[in-house]
Amino acid sequence: MIYKIGVSAFGRFFTVPCSAVENYIKFADPDFYKVLLCVLCQSGCKVESQEIAAQCGLPEQKVIDALEYWSSNEVISAKADNETKMDAKPTYVDFKASSKDEKPQATSQSLPVCATDAINPMKNTAAAKSVIRYTPKELAEKAKSNAELKALYEEIQKILGRPINPSETAGLVNLYEYYGYSAASILIMAQFCHDIGKDRIAYLETVAKDWFSRGICSYDQVEEEIVRQTEANSQNARIARALEIEGSLTKRQKEYFDQWRDWDFDLRLIELASERCREQKNKIDIRYINGILKNWHEKGLKTTDDVANSDIAYKAAKEKRLDKQRKESAPSFDLDEWQRMADAMDPNDLSFEEVDDF
């Protein structure tokens, strides 16, 4: 559908820099565009951040962040007309590991993490929140000075299909600078999270920090872990279908499935265990199934043929035990022989003496 656009008949209009559309329309915060439009619509060269905030319905700090963002990206020029006293910025240190075997070491660069807030993720894996605090201007300047970081911002937004806000951008910088993950590693982690329906940067941070605590740091290690977890998720889905489990798996169910994989059981054996569970309980009971599989594991049974052979051996051994018990409980004399003797005996042929002897 093609539209013909006219604006002159509808009143005055203003110019918008092409770069705001060509370079940032997919990625910039929508609120930042509201601020930009309001600023460009103003007459004169000066604007009040409070007035723009009221016009946009945004906090004043959001307006200041937006002006810094557009200015740092050279879409407009925005500079505070009056100098205000700012709080002293904290000294920053950069934690980077030169190899997977080394612990993060501090350098003299004033980069991401405040020295008083810095954590060692290898010792404190519970620290899930980013400790980086950057203004949009600082984040944009980092992207301008680091082509890899700029590409990371852009590609992450393509994966998510939406722009990322400054807080999310700071989270990516945290993973890149503090935890030492390469941009390529962060991107394949983001794609993995997206594929499993987790598009929040906070979830990506949690995954990355967990992997870091387990020594999964290099690109090859990250890729290997993604392959492992992807296969595990696929196997979990097949097992869930076999057990008629609907919806998301619980933590306990996943633990059972992981245990069965550790025991090297294939799907056919798990299905056999579920069939025996139904026969005994007339329903699916995952704890009962786990008990069956644990018993097979302890006996060294790995396949359905192993189980079938074990069943045959068990039945044969049981029958042998029953035969032995029957023989042991039988009387020491032959009752059939006594019956035959009684049937052949003629009472008239017996004398009193014989009767007494008998």
Side-chain angles (χ1 to χ4, degrees):
M1 183 71 68
I2 299 176
Y3 292 88
K4 292 183 178 180
I5 305 297
V7 294
S8 58
F10 300 95
R12 70 187 185 92
F13 59 92
F14 59 91
T15 303
V16 177
C18 292
S19 60
V21 177
E22 294 173 347
N23 299 332
Y24 304 102
I25 193 67
K26 291 183 180 179
F27 310 123
D29 189 322
D31 287 339
F32 286 8
Y33 272 100
K34 292 172 66 176
V35 173
L36 178 64
L37 292 176
C38 287
V39 169
L40 295 175
C41 188
Q42 301 296 314
S43 58
C45 299
K46 293 184 179 181
V47 296
E48 284 283 347
S49 58
Q50 290 180 343
E51 294 179 0
I52 298 298
Q55 187 176 4
C56 294
L58 299 172
E60 184 178 7
Q61 186 58 50
K62 187 81 170 184
V63 173
I64 295 172
D65 290 345
L67 293 174
E68 290 179 346
Y69 177 82
W70 294 121
S71 179
S72 64
N73 285 288
E74 300 179 350
V75 175
I76 61 173
S77 175
K79 185 177 180 180
D81 189 39
N82 57 324
E83 295 295 333
T84 58
K85 185 177 180 180
M86 303 295 292
D87 294 335
K89 292 185 177 180
T91 302
Y92 292 93
V93 292
D94 182 22
F95 286 83
K96 289 187 177 180
S98 59
S99 73
K100 66 179 182 179
D101 298 324
E102 296 177 1
K103 294 182 179 180
Q105 299 294 325
T107 71
S108 60
Q109 300 176 13
S110 57
L111 284 174
V113 184
C114 178
T116 58
D117 295 332
I119 59 170
N120 185 338
M122 292 296 287
K123 295 181 179 180
N124 186 5
T125 57
K129 293 184 179 180
S130 171
V131 294
I132 301 175
R133 295 293 181 268
Y134 282 135
T135 67
K137 180 178 180 180
E138 291 171 325
L139 294 171
E141 287 175 349
K142 281 185 172 295
K144 287 176 64 176
S145 62
N146 188 327
E148 188 178 42
L149 201 54
K150 181 179 180 180
L152 175 61
Y153 294 172
E154 295 173 351
E155 293 303 317
I156 284 285
Q157 293 175 113
K158 291 179 182 178
I159 291 173
L160 302 181
R162 63 172 177 81
I164 55 176
N165 59 44
S167 176
E168 292 176 319
T169 305
L172 297 177
V173 174
N174 184 29
L175 299 180
Y176 181 78
E177 294 186 334
Y178 180 31
Y179 286 84
Y181 281 111
S182 67
S185 296
I186 297 172
L187 284 175
I188 61 173
M189 281 191 281
Q191 185 65 56
F192 169 72
C193 294
H194 172 74
D195 290 343
I196 62 175
K198 305 290 187 180
D199 280 334
R200 295 172 58 248
I201 298 297
Y203 183 84
L204 169 62
E205 288 185 84
T206 300
V207 170
K209 292 172 184 179
D210 173 61
W211 291 4
F212 185 90
S213 70
R214 293 191 282 123
I216 302 172
C217 304
S218 69
Y219 179 87
D220 290 341
Q221 291 171 327
V222 170
E223 187 177 42
E224 182 179 345
E225 179 64 14
I226 289 174
V227 170
R228 188 194 70 79
Q229 290 205 16
T230 300
E231 177 59 24
N233 291 339
S234 177
Q235 292 178 0
N236 284 351
R238 292 195 294 270
I239 295 172
R241 286 195 297 270
L243 302 184
E244 300 177 0
I245 297 175
E246 298 180 354
S248 300
L249 295 174
T250 66
K251 180 181 179 181
R252 188 58 174 163
Q253 288 170 337
K254 290 180 180 179
E255 289 174 352
Y256 278 132
F257 293 178
D258 289 341
Q259 182 64 76
W260 300 346
R261 274 192 296 275
D262 290 342
W263 289 339
D264 198 25
F265 287 154
D266 61 20
L267 185 59
R268 291 184 301 170
L269 204 62
I270 296 170
E271 289 175 333
L272 179 59
S274 69
E275 290 173 5
R276 298 198 174 183
C277 175
R278 288 191 186 95
E279 292 171 359
Q280 293 295 322
K281 307 196 71 172
N282 200 31
K283 66 177 183 178
I284 289 294
D285 185 332
I286 194 168
R287 288 183 298 178
Y288 191 86
I289 293 172
N290 184 68
I292 295 174
L293 293 173
K294 182 179 180 181
N295 180 52
W296 291 346
H297 169 67
E298 291 173 349
K299 291 180 177 180
L301 309 180
K302 296 296 184 182
T303 67
T304 54
D305 288 341
D306 291 341
V307 174
N309 293 332
S310 176
D311 289 345
I312 293 172
Y314 173 78
K315 291 177 181 179
K318 182 178 180 180
E319 186 63 30
K320 186 176 181 180
R321 288 196 305 271
L322 291 175
D323 287 343
K324 183 177 180 181
Q325 290 174 359
R326 284 193 293 267
K327 290 179 180 179
E328 290 176 349
S329 62
S332 59
F333 50 86
D334 192 339
L335 290 177
D336 292 338
E337 184 62 26
W338 277 94
Q339 184 63 48
R340 286 193 297 272
M341 290 176 60
D343 292 341
M345 185 179 296
D346 184 358
N348 297 323
D349 293 340
L350 296 175
S351 63
F352 290 108
E353 291 80 1
E354 289 175 331
V355 172
D356 291 339
D357 293 340
F358 180 77

